[in-house]
Amino acid sequence: MLEIKNLKASINNRQILKGLNLSIKPGEVHAVMGPNGSGKSTLANVLSGKNGYEISGELNFEGKSLKKIPVEERAQKGIFLAFQYPLEIPGVNTNNFLKTSLNSIRKANGDKELDTLSFLKLVKEKSLELGIDEKILSRQLNVGFSGGEKKKNEILQMKILNPSFSILDETDSGLDIDALKIIANGVNSSRDKKKSFLVITHYQRLLDYIKPDFVHILSDGKIVKTGCSELAEELEKTGYKNFN
Amino acid sequence: MPENINIDANQIDKINKITLEEKEFRIKNLELFKAAGFPNKRLEDWKFSDFKNIVDTNFKILDTNKVTTISKKIDLLKDFEHNYIFLINGNLHSSNFDYEKKEKIKVNSYNSSSNYKISDNPMVCLNHALAENGYLLEIGKNYKFKKILVVYNLFTKNLENKILNIKNKIKLNENSELHVMDYTINESKFINNTYEEVILEKDSKFKNINIQHNKSNGFFHKFLKNKLSLNSSYSNLIFSSGLKFNKLDIECDLIEKNSNCNILSALFLKKDEHQEIKTRINHLAPNCKSFQSVKNVLSPYSKGIFQGKIYVKDVAQKTDAYQLSKALLINDDAEFNSKPELEIYADDVKCSHGSTSGSVDENSLYYLMSRGLTRADATKLLIKGFLNDVVEFIKNPSIKKFIENKLEENINGY
């Protein structure tokens, strides 16, 4: 599904990713852990197609290079990024935005656009499944949302847009245990043979709820170690100092 | 005297039934206008709108001669139930108040030009000199309108290269309430110069929405003079994008206690559009409240201006005055000027003002685009979000929907 080879990325002449290799197959869940400043968010941004980075190396999604594909087309192809800091967009109703978003993705894939009624039905179903109060969707997008509500809203968006590859950028940061379970449940209930996830986190705690197939340690722009979920537990005990 | 304009002083002689006093007043104002010419940027109030230059660039010839009135039918708006006044080139053509008690409503043609103060605004002088068209509307004591009143303002094709001077007067007597939508339909490239007075007696309530039916080549100047008595309330929601030039000069006198005044605008200016909102809120009595929120979205090669002044007289204690101007510039080729002014002589007041202008936020765009929206759609969504809170002030759902659609139509053309 995703093939990254020798990926280098720099912004404002500062190199952040320094030759990163990563391969994710359909159905797999990969966790990326790493100290502050190791390049985790840059990896998420580069995958989503954020402007401003200078990139070299290979970046292939479903067999095709992503390098020239703009943000919105990547989303239409099934790449989803749950933001570390979801933005507040005043005046924009969350439901209206999500409907526009879902329909632009459906349209790009040759699917019929959903009318308001079927859209609201879908929203109801997904929020019920996640245990999220759908009332937040009639509010302005993320405006005045608590930290937890913002993150839950990201996961609800993920459920509704139904992407094939989801990146969760520190979605667990700042969450209480109940919210953490909702987030984990959002991922677990979506897991199937075709969908893959890249879960970026600081804490092993999230991985108690989302069992990754692989754990990678990112340090100074490179993946320095790959293992299974025990690696996260080891990291919890020893810290990053042994992995530089 | 402006070179490209032909103003015939004989016109004043032709105005029917005026007193000698009024005639002298008109002649005096004409002389004042002739001496000053169209206002240019050397006048502080016109520093961002050099009207002389704008007129010179856009009009080779101009005159103030009367046009023959063409009788026309209007297509009434079907989106919501309403009363209406239909004006053709400012003249009262017909009216309909089927939803109301007719004996409570007085509507007439209005062409008086007396008892006005001499102004230092040359356009107001011109209006005082030549205004012949307009309407007078008076609402009786204790009468509250059941439905909104739409004032259809049709400007016909034969107004090309004319200057039209219109004077209107609206009076709400004690404890009455009226909601008006000014709906302008313009077919000509011409200068419209309106002077409108709104007098609010004790406990009365007036709400006004301004909107254009279509994009046009109109060059509009409107001076609004509002007088607010005890406990009265005035609101003006301005959605009047679409003209080549539009300057709204709004003066509110809060002359008695507990009166309050709201001015809000949501404007989406397209290429070559120039729009100015100038306000002067005079707090002349204690415990009055004023609120101004001016929002502008500016496309490339458009220009927006907000000059807002709050004046608080020494006796106007416990004044609560707020003013905010926000501009969203779509790119560097747009221009926005803002000049907030506070002049306060009372010591126990709450006055605040703010002004921001910026471009579309790249991070917000990125967030929306990461959900599959194209850059254009994401920008439109942000623009709508930016202007939306003004629409929220409209309580009636069908009128709100109508305004939302109008705004959306405007933005979708972006």
Side-chain angles (χ1 to χ4, degrees):
Chain A
M1 170 161 283
L2 183 75
E3 281 292 336
I4 303 174
K5 276 184 196 151
N6 197 27
L7 179 68
K8 290 177 183 161
S10 50
I11 188 160
N12 302 330
N13 290 323
R14 203 162 69 89
Q15 198 174 13
I16 316 265
L17 298 182
K18 300 175 177 171
L20 186 137
N21 296 301
L22 182 64
S23 166
I24 298 178
K25 292 194 176 60
E28 290 178 351
V29 175
H30 289 238
V32 170
M33 302 181 78
N36 295 326
S38 57
K40 300 188 298 298
S41 286
T42 300
L43 175 63
N45 290 342
V46 165
L47 289 175
S48 75
K50 189 176 184 182
N51 286 336
Y53 292 96
E54 255 182 70
I55 289 164
S56 69
E58 270 180 50
L59 185 56
N60 294 332
F61 182 69
E62 291 173 337
K64 284 180 193 143
S65 173
L66 278 182
K67 274 169 133 183
K68 291 213 167 70
I69 311 283
V71 189
E72 69 273 24
E73 281 178 39
R74 294 191 196 191
Q76 290 158 4
K77 283 175 185 300
I79 298 179
F80 179 89
L81 169 63
F83 277 54
Q84 184 179 2
Y85 305 110
L87 280 98
E88 297 192 9
I89 316 281
V92 174
N93 175 282
T94 308
N95 259 329
N96 286 351
F97 150 67
L98 260 179
K99 183 169 166 255
T100 317
S101 164
L102 179 64
N103 280 336
S104 46
I105 291 175
R106 291 180 69 95
K107 207 169 131 191
N109 289 298
D111 296 328
K112 218 178 130 232
E113 293 183 37
L114 284 191
D115 58 37
T116 306
L117 223 59
S118 356
F119 172 76
L120 290 175
K121 207 177 137 225
L122 175 75
V123 168
K124 212 176 181 78
E125 181 192 315
K126 295 297 175 191
S127 22
L128 204 69
E129 193 183 316
L130 284 175
I132 293 175
D133 188 353
E134 61 176 313
K135 273 194 208 114
I136 66 169
L137 296 173
S138 53
R139 288 160 54 183
Q140 296 178 28
L141 185 52
N142 292 328
V143 176
F145 283 28
S146 70
E149 281 174 327
K150 283 182 185 167
K151 298 296 179 77
K152 284 188 221 166
N153 187 21
E154 292 291 288
I155 295 305
L156 183 59
Q157 289 178 38
M158 181 185 87
K159 290 295 277 188
I160 289 166
L161 300 179
N162 196 25
S164 54
F165 176 55
S166 304
I167 308 151
L168 277 68
D169 188 7
E170 294 193 29
T171 305
D172 56 329
S173 293
L175 290 188
D176 63 37
I177 197 78
D178 295 332
L180 193 72
K181 280 182 187 163
I182 288 177
I183 302 295
N185 176 28
V187 173
N188 292 332
S189 63
S190 307
R191 280 176 90 158
D192 65 25
K193 272 186 235 159
K194 285 180 190 156
K195 290 198 184 84
S196 316
F197 295 85
L198 181 66
V199 180
I200 296 171
T201 179
H202 268 298
Y203 309 104
Q204 191 256 333
R205 195 179 60 159
L206 178 67
L207 305 180
D208 290 342
Y209 299 99
I210 303 173
K211 286 284 167 220
D213 299 298
F214 298 95
V215 175
H216 309 277
I217 295 171
L218 186 66
S219 176
D220 195 25
K222 280 182 187 169
I223 285 177
V224 291
K225 191 166 173 116
T226 294
C228 44
S229 51
E230 286 76 32
L231 182 60
E233 286 159 28
E234 190 188 333
L235 205 58
E236 189 78 12
K237 289 184 197 121
T238 60
Y240 291 111
K241 58 182 187 298
N242 299 335
F243 297 99
N244 286 329
Chain B
M1 177 73 186
E3 284 163 18
N4 53 348
I5 162 175
N6 173 22
I7 297 181
D8 191 350
N10 294 332
Q11 253 182 277
I12 295 174
D13 293 330
K14 287 183 202 154
I15 298 171
N16 289 334
K17 289 184 238 164
I18 55 171
T19 60
L20 190 63
E21 192 191 354
E22 180 175 337
K23 192 174 167 181
E24 278 169 5
F25 178 76
R26 284 179 182 264
I27 290 171
K28 188 176 177 194
N29 273 286
L30 188 63
E31 280 162 2
L32 283 170
F33 173 74
K34 283 183 170 182
F38 286 109
N40 62 35
K41 63 181 175 198
R42 281 196 296 276
L43 293 172
E44 184 63 22
D45 286 349
W46 293 81
K47 65 189 284 191
F48 302 113
S49 298
D50 191 333
F51 197 52
K52 183 186 183 318
N53 185 27
I54 291 167
V55 171
D56 287 347
T57 318
N58 290 284
F59 293 93
K60 286 203 176 66
I61 46 158
L62 268 170
D63 69 66
T64 54
N65 299 334
K66 276 181 112 168
V67 295
T68 42
T69 311
I70 317 167
S71 196
K72 277 206 155 186
K73 256 192 75 204
I74 25 159
D75 296 320
L76 292 175
L77 296 171
K78 295 187 179 64
D79 307 70
F80 50 90
E81 293 179 325
H82 60 276
N83 306 285
Y84 68 84
I85 290 179
F86 180 31
L87 308 166
I88 299 179
N89 302 335
N91 284 310
L92 183 64
H93 176 272
S94 52
S95 64
N96 182 310
F97 292 98
D98 283 352
Y99 293 103
E100 315 296 334
K101 279 189 188 151
K102 295 190 181 72
E103 69 272 19
K104 290 286 187 180
I105 302 154
K106 205 164 90 186
V107 58
N108 286 320
S109 291
Y110 184 68
N111 67 353
S112 160
S113 198
S114 50
N115 297 325
Y116 291 101
K117 266 196 217 154
I118 294 284
S119 166
D120 52 10
N121 179 344
M123 296 306 287
V124 172
C125 297
L126 180 63
N127 185 288
H128 286 337
L130 298 177
E132 260 189 277
N133 309 26
Y135 71 94
L136 170 78
L137 173 68
E138 188 172 345
I139 313 304
K141 227 171 151 178
N142 299 323
Y143 188 70
K144 294 186 166 53
F145 262 59
K146 294 181 181 66
K147 302 277 177 200
I148 194 168
L149 165 66
V150 176
V151 177
Y152 291 94
N153 241 311
L154 172 71
F155 298 106
T156 53
K157 284 196 180 75
N158 56 345
L159 282 174
E160 286 285 308
N161 300 318
K162 301 275 175 207
I163 305 176
L164 187 64
N165 290 287
I166 296 172
K167 201 167 242 142
N168 302 325
K169 189 170 180 173
I170 297 170
K171 187 174 180 193
L172 270 69
N173 284 305
E174 201 178 314
N175 195 34
S176 60
E177 182 169 349
L178 172 68
H179 297 193
V180 172
M181 181 187 288
D182 282 302
Y183 190 72
T184 303
I185 308 147
N186 176 30
E187 300 171 343
S188 278
K189 182 181 171 199
F190 79 109
I191 296 175
N192 178 20
N193 185 28
T194 302
Y195 183 103
E196 190 169 292
E197 216 179 340
V198 176
I199 299 164
L200 302 181
E201 294 295 349
K202 192 180 146 198
D203 297 317
S204 62
K205 211 171 178 181
F206 179 72
K207 284 192 187 178
N208 192 190
I209 295 174
N210 277 284
I211 194 154
Q212 307 283 328
H213 165 71
N214 58 331
K215 202 171 149 61
S216 77
N217 283 322
F219 292 75
F220 283 27
H221 169 263
K222 187 176 190 176
F223 184 80
L224 268 155
K225 178 83 183 169
N226 310 306
K227 278 201 189 105
L228 282 74
S229 302
L230 187 72
N231 293 326
S232 64
S233 150
Y234 171 90
S235 306
N236 197 344
L237 305 186
I238 303 159
F239 303 99
S240 55
S241 316
L243 291 159
K244 277 274 175 279
F245 176 88
N246 194 18
K247 178 162 175 165
L248 288 165
D249 191 339
I250 306 171
E251 209 170 292
C252 276
D253 290 344
L254 302 157
I255 54 176
E256 286 179 347
K257 276 196 290 189
N258 299 325
S259 52
N260 98 71
C261 149
N262 299 293
I263 296 167
L264 292 103
S265 84
L267 301 174
F268 181 81
L269 303 185
K270 291 186 184 166
K271 186 170 179 258
D272 299 330
E273 288 181 21
H274 179 128
Q275 177 134 209
E276 171 166 348
I277 293 177
K278 179 179 167 291
T279 62
R280 185 186 165 109
I281 313 294
N282 293 317
H283 282 264
L284 307 173
N287 287 310
C288 295
K289 210 173 161 177
S290 67
F291 177 88
Q292 302 175 68
S293 169
V294 171
K295 288 196 160 185
N296 274 279
V297 177
L298 298 120
S299 311
Y301 306 106
S302 67
K303 184 171 174 177
I305 299 123
F306 176 62
Q307 298 199 72
K309 181 162 183 170
I310 298 169
Y311 171 86
V312 183
K313 203 178 165 184
D314 52 4
V315 294
Q317 300 293 4
K318 305 281 179 198
T319 286
D320 183 353
Y322 175 86
Q323 180 196 90
L324 178 69
S325 150
K326 277 180 136 183
L328 183 66
L329 283 76
I330 291 177
N331 80 4
D332 292 349
D333 299 319
E335 182 181 333
F336 185 72
N337 300 284
S338 166
K339 195 182 90 178
E341 270 183 286
L342 300 177
E343 197 178 324
I344 303 170
Y345 297 101
D347 51 16
D348 185 12
V349 300
K350 206 168 103 187
C351 285
S352 54
H353 71 87
S355 176
T356 64
S357 48
S359 49
V360 184
D361 180 45
E362 277 301 323
N363 283 325
S364 301
L365 277 177
Y366 164 53
Y367 184 57
L368 299 177
M369 286 164 75
S370 79
R371 303 301 186 245
L373 270 65
T374 60
R375 196 177 175 86
D377 284 342
T379 309
K380 274 182 211 163
L381 208 58
L382 290 176
I383 293 171
K384 268 186 243 169
F386 179 78
L387 296 177
N388 204 22
D389 58 350
V390 180
V391 184
E392 292 299 318
F393 269 77
I394 303 169
K395 296 286 172 281
N396 179 307
S398 37
I399 297 173
K400 187 173 162 184
K401 188 80 207 150
F402 171 75
I403 298 289
E404 266 171 359
N405 290 345
K406 275 285 188 194
L407 259 183
E408 183 141 352
E409 231 174 73
N410 208 350
I411 294 167
N412 281 346
Y414 144 76

